[in-house]
Amino acid sequence: MVNNNLDLTVNIAELVALRRDLHAHPEIAFEETRTSDRVANCLQQWGVTHWRNIGGTGVVGVVEGERGLGRTIALRADMDALPMEEEGTPEYRSTHAGAFHGCGHDGHTAMLLGAAQWFSQNRDFAGKVVFLFQPAEENGGGALAMLEAGAETQFDWDEIYGLHNAPHFAPGTFGVLDGAMLASCDDVLISIDGVGGHGSAPELTRDPVIAAAQLVCALQTVVSRTISPSEMSVLSIGSMHAGSTPNVIPAHATLAGTLRTFNEAVRAQAKRRIEAICEGVAKTCECAISVRFANGSPATVNHPAQAEAAAKSAEKVFGKDNVLRSFPPMNGSEDFSEFLLRRPGAYVLLGQGGVFCHHPQYDFNDDVLPLGVRYFITLALDRLCA
């Protein structure tokens, strides 16, 4: 580990306690009222100018340097929890049924608050640092909500950076790629309307179950026979619902799946092919089939100059040998991609070890919390001076 002689002047123990409090009181997308209160109260206590209710429950803090005008660097953390049950047993286990910080957003929020506290006490720089505490990353709506509320125009950052914990990287390591880091994400929602009837007289029906079964198989050709093998893409059907009893052919069926790509042209191509297959099966089975794409986020694609800058700052914190610059991009998705479509920036990974995100026994690794704080500070200072 590298000591870059940066005095944190923040109480890490207090940040860990805050992180564990957030973990014990998780709130899902657009319901982060208590979390927003905690964030805003901290910013107010430290004298950080801040705004609430940006894009719903979002909070934005701004620290201006004492040296006058300069660049504006934005740092973002997501605040929402997952709509799932926690199976781990930490002392600070979730107290809210059906909500669980199973992706580490409690840690992300605590780390960004640590950076905000440091900058509130260390303003010897030109420019501004913007701290974006975003709601609703898990359902892909929070970034757009903040943008539609005018955050980009109001705070007018020059560059933006986001950080996520990475259980598949060892603690004390850091990862950033030029270009694609994460895949796009689209829910594929298919509704099939047929004609129901008695199972003993199928000739009198238009069976949506048969149509659904054909679709499950036919849709596999989207990736295997439509997309170039050189392009990474995934289409998985994860839900199929039809009927309620053995001797009745139902009138309706539904399918739901997920589409992931790393290229917007491939994403559009896959959607067109899904629609065409649904149209063809509808004709074959004489059913009405509709398809829609929901909760979409584009691929998270880093800007090369900002990815390089993020890596250089990370070397000061983690050491050059611990900064990973070549690894497979992940098929997970992130609505931080919406910010990167509009302004230069980069999305990075903080190694933490442990079970993977969304596992019911996941927990953020508090040992890496000070590394994340130090990284945010180092990066912002370096970019303010760039």
Side-chain angles (χ1 to χ4, degrees):
M1 207 64 61
V2 170
N3 180 359
N4 66 353
N5 298 316
L6 175 67
D7 181 7
L8 283 181
T9 62
V10 296
N11 189 322
I12 295 298
E14 288 184 358
L15 290 177
V16 170
L18 170 65
R19 197 285 294 180
R20 295 181 176 186
D21 176 74
L22 296 178
H23 187 97
H25 301 89
E27 296 170 307
I28 62 173
F30 292 121
E31 297 180 8
E32 308 94 338
T33 54
R34 183 185 184 276
T35 305
S36 294
D37 287 343
R38 292 296 325 259
V39 169
N41 289 341
C42 286
L43 296 177
Q44 182 174 355
Q45 176 185 338
W46 300 329
V48 176
T49 304
H50 61 280
W51 291 257
R52 301 198 58 178
N53 304 317
I54 305 293
T57 47
V59 181
V60 178
V62 175
V63 173
E64 297 190 24
E66 295 173 341
R67 295 191 183 184
L69 297 177
R71 307 181 82 204
T72 298
I73 303 301
L75 308 173
R76 173 272 205 172
D78 36 19
M79 301 188 296
D80 59 322
L82 287 160
M84 62 181 286
E85 297 291 339
E86 181 172 12
E87 294 182 6
T89 57
E91 293 179 0
Y92 43 89
R93 193 175 188 271
S94 172
T95 59
H96 295 174
F100 165 44
H101 267 299
C103 202
H105 297 184
D106 49 349
H108 304 165
T109 300
M111 289 187 291
L112 190 57
L113 280 172
Q117 183 183 17
W118 188 91
F119 276 103
S120 74
Q121 302 168 14
N122 298 270
R123 299 176 182 253
D124 186 22
F125 61 88
K128 300 177 184 178
V129 185
V130 176
F131 305 92
L132 294 169
F133 295 90
Q134 180 201 309
E137 184 278 326
E138 292 293 352
N139 73 356
L144 276 178
M146 296 191 83
L147 289 165
E148 289 170 357
E152 180 186 17
T153 301
Q154 181 176 355
F155 302 106
D156 196 25
W157 52 80
D158 296 296
E159 297 178 350
I160 186 166
Y161 296 87
L163 176 152
H164 202 290
N165 71 91
H168 60 303
F169 290 166
T173 61
F174 176 98
V176 60
L177 296 174
D178 296 341
M181 283 283 290
L182 297 170
S184 65
C185 176
D186 291 283
D187 291 347
V188 182
L189 306 176
I190 300 173
S191 178
I192 307 167
D193 294 317
V195 177
H198 201 288
S200 66
E203 76 280 6
L204 302 179
T205 71
R206 298 292 181 265
D207 192 344
V209 176
I210 294 295
Q214 291 190 27
L215 280 173
V216 169
C217 295
L219 288 171
Q220 301 310 303
T221 66
V222 172
V223 172
S224 66
R225 293 296 181 269
T226 303
I227 306 302
S228 169
S230 64
E231 295 284 355
M232 294 179 62
S233 58
V234 172
L235 174 59
S236 296
I237 300 299
S239 173
M240 180 176 181
H241 292 277
S244 58
T245 190
N247 64 343
V248 175
I249 292 174
H252 309 286
T254 60
L255 298 173
T258 185
L259 171 66
R260 309 288 173 117
T261 73
F262 289 93
N263 179 301
E264 284 300 293
V266 171
R267 185 185 183 197
Q269 181 185 23
K271 288 182 178 181
R272 289 193 299 270
R273 185 58 183 156
I274 291 169
E275 291 169 338
I277 288 173
C278 287
E279 182 179 350
V281 172
K283 292 180 179 179
T284 301
C285 296
E286 297 183 295
C287 292
I289 300 178
S290 64
V291 58
R292 66 184 181 92
F293 304 96
N295 300 323
S297 293
T300 302
V301 180
N302 285 340
H303 297 250
Q306 283 67 38
E308 179 64 20
K312 291 297 183 184
S313 295
E315 290 177 6
K316 300 178 182 179
V317 179
F318 300 88
K320 186 173 184 178
D321 292 342
N322 291 319
V323 175
L324 309 177
R325 297 287 278 127
S326 178
F327 51 89
M330 299 169 61
N331 274 331
S333 66
E334 243 281 5
D335 70 350
F336 186 76
S337 56
E338 300 287 358
F339 295 117
L340 293 179
L341 287 177
R342 293 160 173 82
R343 299 287 174 100
Y347 183 84
V348 306
L349 298 175
L350 172 67
Q352 78 150 30
V355 298
F356 210 76
C357 297
H358 295 216
H359 189 284
Q361 295 183 343
Y362 170 91
D363 191 14
F364 182 82
N365 182 355
D366 288 324
D367 290 341
V368 305
L369 193 151
L371 294 174
V373 175
R374 188 180 293 273
Y375 168 73
F376 271 139
I377 297 168
T378 302
L379 172 67
L381 289 175
D382 286 348
R383 300 312 294 158
L384 287 166
C385 297

